[in-house]
């Protein structure tokens, strides 16, 4: 949803922005995660699409040696 409306209770929803904020929260609360060699990112249905959309972003952000394979179901 790109525009807040009465149908969305006045809220704006963006999966990628939510994902960015979740990753930011994890990095702040679990600082050791930036040293992880592997991260599993997975999702089903619409979450599978989010996996594909956010996999490269997460890999670049975390600079991990390996994230993958990025599989959606």
């Amino acid at each position: 949803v790109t525009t807040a409306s009465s149908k969305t209770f006045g809220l704006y929803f963006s999966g990628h922005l939510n994902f960015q904020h979740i990753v930011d929260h994890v990095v702040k609360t679990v600082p050791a995660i930036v040293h992880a060699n592997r991260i599993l990112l997975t999702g089903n249905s619409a979450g599978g699409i989010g996996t594909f959309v956010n996999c490269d972003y997460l890999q670049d952000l975390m600079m991990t040696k390996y994230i993958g394979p990025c599989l959606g179901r």
Side-chain angles (χ1 to χ4, degrees):
V1 174
T2 58
T3 305
S5 70
S6 61
K7 290 183 179 181
T8 63
F9 307 102
L11 301 173
Y12 167 83
F13 297 94
S14 171
H16 181 68
L17 291 177
N18 288 337
F19 184 74
Q20 284 180 315
H21 288 287
I22 290 166
V23 171
D24 183 54
H25 174 76
V26 171
V27 168
K28 287 178 181 175
T29 57
V30 187
I33 195 154
V34 297
H35 302 293
N37 290 323
R38 295 179 183 209
I39 296 175
L40 176 64
L41 180 63
T42 185
N44 290 341
S45 192
I49 294 168
T51 297
F52 288 118
V53 171
N54 289 296
C55 188
D56 290 334
Y57 165 79
L58 182 62
Q59 189 167 15
D60 291 343
L61 181 70
M62 302 300 285
M63 294 186 284
T64 59
K65 297 176 183 115
Y66 180 80
I67 294 179
C70 295
L71 301 173
R73 294 177 74 190

